[in-house]
Amino acid sequence: MDVKIVEPIKSRILDIWYENVFNHESSYDWFEDLKEILSEFFNVQVANYFIFDTDTFLQLQWNHSLAKKLNAIKWFEVEGYFCGQDFNEIPFLQKNNLADGEVSILLRDQENKPLGLLIMESTQKWKEFSQTTEVISFITSISTLVQKIKKTVYLTQQEHQYRNLFNVTKMFYSTLDIGQILEGTLNAVQEAFPNFKAILILSNDQDRKTSVPYKLFDYTSERPATVEAYVSGEITTELATDLGARLLNVPIKGKQGIYGIMQLSTPLDYLFSVRQKEFASLLATAAGNALENAKLYIQSHRLVSDLQLINETSHKLNMNLSLEDMLSFLHKQLNKSFKPEQIGFVFLNDQGSEVSSASSEFFHTSNGQEYIKYVVNHFGKVQDALFIADLNRLAEQKFDFQSLIAIPIKEQNLITGFSIVLHKEPYFFSFDSFKLMQSLIQHSSLAISNSKLRNKLQEMVNRDHLTNLFARKYLDKYVETSMKNDERGVFILMDIDNFKLVNDTHGHQVGDEILKQIASVIKKRTEGIGIGARWGGEELAVYLSQMTIEEGIEESKNIIKLIPDNTNPSVTVSIGVCGWDKNELPSFHHLFHNADTALYEAKNSGKNQLRIYKASSL
């Protein structure tokens, strides 16, 4: 073959470069022109070009951005065929069943590294030309052409991508709205990779209020490659045959942590280029920094709000409120700060658990008790607070409320109860909410303990230590309040007959036991209708709210009958009864005096009986 054709070929190759240097929207057009040269000078009708990227030759398609990576050729598979030469016939690449076979021409860059692979039919003209010394010049010219076009295409695409990145980054730093940041991220991904499917997999954050579709990251259900990217902070790829896709997992990371994964999905036979990975990584990092800035801004405001909440709560709880008032206030604070659907306060005792009246009504139902049992069982094993994002993933049974926080209430490092909040949505409460509630309940625990202690001390003051009946002072206040608020009532004063004889005969210890036995009868008879009290010495009293004098007389008769059968040694009592109503309202001091007068009559009339106070008896 005439070697002088090399100059015309070079001239034509130079024309291709001039025609394509400023037109870089497609990396395919130049090859169509090259194929015309191959056809004109070597009668080549079949030719394909493979771009070199990430140690792989990828076939150039009519639209490279859409190209499926078919017929990919690994460099290590063909490297041995090009030792000391730049073209060769490679048997396993013979796919077109051409009579003269195919030849593979390796194109190299200035550093002698692979640039691309030209595979074409091996015509007679080519074989003749390949035997000349000009073949090296020819291959070098094509290599130079490919290198120049690749560089200009790369620069153009890079400019487009970085302009896109600049615009989205500019938007990121102009807003602290997380929704806008997420939306801008997705838009930038779609603009850069219009034919890829993109999804954001984000760590849980209660402050993320946005309509942008995203998926919450869950260690237990995510694919291993996704978890690896989230944990390591490095890009991972996965051939997800079950999904029929190749996945690229790009960590969304800031300076202080990783906030999720930007996942790109392509057909199975697609390979991501180095440039695509670099751009995706830069975009994800910009999004991560923007999310971090927004989160820090939100956290700073929330911290101020949280401190105000704790300060307000501590101040209120230190105002010597009753336990129920204290818990009712805490109920309002928890509802305002965390927006749960159910709030409960549960206290533990020897008999099990007791639900405070300040709790949501739900916890007084059988369904609510299931959640209480779950938490009680947890605190029976460990003392750590409970934070569950999705209860149904942990429990054997199915629960309607999936988000749960339970914070222990402690006294001297012992769990005496807990506060619990619930919401039906999984992952509703953030970890920050959990920590705030933990701090809030810990600050409240001392006030709750003090309130319970005050109640116990008050109970001790209100009760007679021997009989556990109410003390005289408490009875006075109770009757006085009843006479202000009720329509009627009955006061019963009783005295144990011959009690001095019992003490002298059996000893004071037996006398004390008899007082306890009579007190037990009184407590059972007055439960829900009034109170019993120790008036002093062997005298005991009963006050029955909202009872008529007739009902009081019947109750007194029952007490007289029951006491001999429930005391050992058996004793009797004498009783004086006095009633009141709005039409005849004495002072509570006169009420006591009148009952004492009636009791005196009963004692003087033979004992073991009752007398009713009447005005004529004065």
Side-chain angles (χ1 to χ4, degrees):
M1 180 177 182
D2 187 357
V3 297
K4 293 182 180 180
I5 67 167
V6 174
E7 293 305 322
I9 291 176
K10 287 184 177 181
S11 177
R12 293 286 299 278
I13 290 174
L14 185 61
D15 290 341
I16 294 176
W17 181 75
Y18 276 122
E19 290 173 5
N20 288 274
V21 68
F22 298 114
N23 181 20
H24 315 305
E25 294 302 318
S26 171
S27 58
Y28 183 79
D29 292 344
W30 68 271
F31 186 62
E32 290 297 308
D33 293 337
L34 180 62
K35 284 199 293 185
E36 289 185 10
I37 295 174
L38 296 176
S39 174
E40 180 180 341
F41 290 95
F42 304 116
N43 293 333
V44 172
Q45 303 302 316
V46 178
N48 289 294
Y49 178 69
F50 289 76
I51 300 172
F52 187 74
D53 194 351
T54 60
D55 293 326
T56 305
F57 293 100
L58 308 172
Q59 186 173 357
L60 181 66
Q61 301 289 326
W62 66 272
N63 185 339
H64 184 56
S65 63
L66 269 177
K68 294 182 178 180
K69 307 306 182 178
L70 299 171
N71 306 323
I73 303 169
K74 295 293 184 181
W75 170 233
F76 72 85
E77 295 177 318
V78 299
E79 184 177 5
Y81 290 95
F82 297 109
C83 291
Q85 57 185 346
D86 287 331
F87 61 94
N88 203 345
E89 293 186 5
I90 303 176
F92 73 89
L93 296 183
Q94 308 286 327
K95 298 179 180 180
N96 293 300
N97 297 320
L98 299 173
D100 293 331
E102 290 182 341
V103 63
S104 299
I105 302 174
L106 179 65
L107 308 180
R108 302 176 188 265
D109 61 18
Q110 292 176 343
E111 296 177 355
N112 209 36
K113 295 179 180 179
L115 188 63
L117 192 63
L118 174 61
I119 301 178
M120 65 182 189
E121 64 176 308
S122 181
T123 64
Q124 184 61 36
K125 283 188 176 183
W126 164 256
K127 289 179 180 180
E128 292 174 2
F129 179 70
S130 66
Q131 301 301 316
T132 69
T133 58
E134 296 298 325
V135 69
I136 302 302
S137 178
F138 168 73
I139 294 175
T140 301
S141 297
I142 297 179
S143 297
T144 303
L145 169 67
V146 169
Q147 192 169 359
K148 295 293 185 181
I149 290 179
K150 181 178 180 179
K151 184 176 181 179
T152 53
V153 169
Y154 172 78
L155 289 174
T156 302
Q157 292 178 346
Q158 188 181 52
E159 179 187 3
H160 176 74
Q161 288 182 333
Y162 278 89
R163 186 181 294 113
N164 182 9
L165 184 62
F166 173 79
N167 289 334
V168 73
T169 303
K170 183 178 178 182
M171 184 275 291
F172 285 164
Y173 283 96
S174 67
T175 181
L176 291 170
D177 186 295
I178 290 179
Q180 289 185 14
I181 293 170
L182 297 178
E183 184 177 2
T185 303
L186 280 178
N187 289 340
V189 173
Q190 292 300 324
E191 184 175 347
F193 309 111
N195 299 293
F196 294 172
K197 180 182 177 182
I199 184 172
L200 300 179
I201 306 174
L202 305 175
S203 57
N204 185 37
D205 188 342
Q206 187 186 14
D207 295 312
R208 186 183 298 114
K209 306 297 183 184
T210 175
S211 59
V212 176
Y214 66 89
K215 176 185 173 185
L216 285 174
F217 184 88
D218 185 350
Y219 280 100
T220 61
S221 62
E222 295 299 339
R223 306 180 72 89
T226 308
V227 175
E228 181 185 350
Y230 185 82
V231 173
S232 68
E234 301 294 332
I235 292 177
T236 63
T237 58
E238 179 184 2
L239 196 63
T241 54
D242 56 323
L243 301 178
R246 184 182 295 272
L247 304 178
L248 180 71
N249 299 301
V250 188
I252 301 173
K253 56 184 178 181
K255 294 181 176 62
Q256 297 185 2
I258 299 174
Y259 303 98
I261 296 293
M262 183 174 72
Q263 188 177 83
L264 303 178
S265 177
T266 67
L268 282 168
D269 48 11
Y270 191 91
L271 294 179
F272 293 95
S273 68
V274 173
R275 187 170 70 254
Q276 289 171 330
K277 291 180 180 179
E278 287 177 350
F279 176 77
S281 180
L282 288 171
L283 175 60
T285 299
N289 287 327
L291 285 174
E292 188 170 81
N293 291 336
K295 186 176 181 180
L296 289 173
Y297 175 79
I298 293 170
Q299 283 180 339
S300 65
H301 279 261
R302 186 173 58 223
L303 182 60
V304 172
S305 177
D306 292 350
L307 290 173
Q308 289 175 340
L309 174 69
I310 293 173
N311 182 61
E312 176 188 347
T313 303
S314 299
H315 178 74
K316 186 76 173 181
L317 296 182
N318 287 326
M319 295 175 64
N320 292 327
L321 300 174
S322 69
L323 180 59
E324 289 308 305
D325 287 344
M326 191 178 296
L327 295 177
S328 295
F329 174 74
L330 271 178
H331 185 116
K332 293 178 182 177
Q333 296 294 81
L334 293 175
N335 186 58
K336 178 174 67 176
S337 299
F338 309 117
K339 308 298 182 189
E341 293 181 323
Q342 305 294 346
I343 300 173
F345 303 97
V346 181
F347 293 97
L348 307 177
N349 49 47
D350 295 337
Q351 289 72 41
S353 60
E354 179 183 355
V355 180
S356 165
S357 61
S359 305
S360 302
E361 186 61 32
F362 171 76
F363 290 106
H364 296 279
T365 67
S366 58
N367 286 339
Q369 286 295 316
E370 293 298 322
Y371 295 88
I372 291 175
K373 289 178 184 177
Y374 185 91
V375 176
V376 169
N377 182 60
H378 167 80
F379 288 135
K381 299 175 183 176
V382 296
Q383 294 202 352
D384 298 332
L386 195 58
F387 176 41
I388 299 178
D390 188 352
L391 185 57
N392 286 338
R393 296 186 65 85
L394 301 178
E396 294 181 359
Q397 67 187 94
K398 293 300 180 183
F399 288 93
D400 292 332
F401 296 91
Q402 299 182 59
S403 292
L404 180 152
I405 296 179
I407 309 297
I409 298 172
K410 295 183 178 181
E411 292 182 17
Q412 297 180 344
N413 291 325
L414 293 177
I415 296 178
T416 59
F418 57 87
S419 174
I420 178 174
V421 294
L422 302 173
H423 200 282
K424 288 184 177 179
E425 292 182 20
Y427 298 93
F428 181 80
F429 304 117
S430 69
F431 185 72
D432 288 336
S433 296
F434 165 64
K435 298 302 290 184
L436 174 59
M437 182 174 170
Q438 198 172 27
S439 178
L440 192 63
I441 298 302
Q442 286 174 351
H443 277 80
S444 305
S445 286
L446 180 60
I448 292 172
S449 297
N450 289 339
S451 179
K452 290 173 66 179
L453 181 59
R454 284 197 303 271
N455 289 347
K456 289 179 181 178
L457 291 174
Q458 189 62 51
E459 185 75 7
M460 292 174 65
V461 172
N462 292 340
R463 297 277 183 177
D464 172 63
H465 73 280
L466 177 64
T467 63
N468 202 34
L469 293 173
F470 286 102
R472 170 75 179 270
K473 187 175 182 180
Y474 182 86
L475 177 68
D476 290 352
K477 292 181 179 179
Y478 187 90
V479 174
E480 186 177 16
T481 302
S482 174
M483 294 181 76
K484 289 179 180 178
N485 300 324
D486 298 334
E487 295 293 323
R488 63 187 64 84
V490 175
F491 182 71
I492 301 171
L493 189 60
M494 66 184 75
D495 183 82
I496 303 174
D497 297 329
N498 305 314
F499 190 65
K500 184 177 183 302
L501 180 62
V502 172
N503 282 332
D504 292 342
T505 304
H506 301 284
H508 287 280
Q509 186 173 358
V510 173
D512 288 346
E513 287 300 317
I514 288 175
L515 282 168
K516 293 178 184 178
Q517 292 164 2
I518 295 175
S520 179
V521 173
I522 291 173
K523 282 187 282 187
K524 290 178 182 177
R525 297 303 304 179
T526 58
E527 186 175 2
I529 59 173
I531 65 168
R534 187 174 183 186
W535 189 257
E538 67 270 25
E539 288 186 324
L540 307 170
V542 171
Y543 183 76
L544 304 172
S545 304
Q546 296 288 24
M547 269 200 180
T548 64
I549 187 65
E550 291 78 14
E551 291 170 329
I553 292 171
E554 287 301 314
E555 191 58 44
S556 298
K557 289 179 179 179
N558 289 331
I559 292 174
I560 289 175
K561 291 178 182 179
L562 287 169
I563 286 178
D565 296 332
N566 289 275
T567 52
N568 184 24
S570 179
V571 297
T572 60
V573 295
S574 298
I575 289 179
V577 182
C578 182
W580 68 272
D581 59 33
K582 288 293 184 182
N583 296 324
E584 189 176 341
L585 182 62
S587 69
F588 77 100
H589 290 293
H590 280 94
L591 184 70
F592 298 158
H593 175 74
N594 296 342
D596 188 51
T597 300
L599 172 62
Y600 182 78
E601 283 188 22
K603 299 286 282 185
N604 289 337
S605 300
K607 302 177 183 179
N608 193 27
Q609 57 185 291
L610 68 87
R611 286 291 183 267
I612 305 159
Y613 173 79
K614 295 180 181 178
S616 58
S617 63
L618 289 174

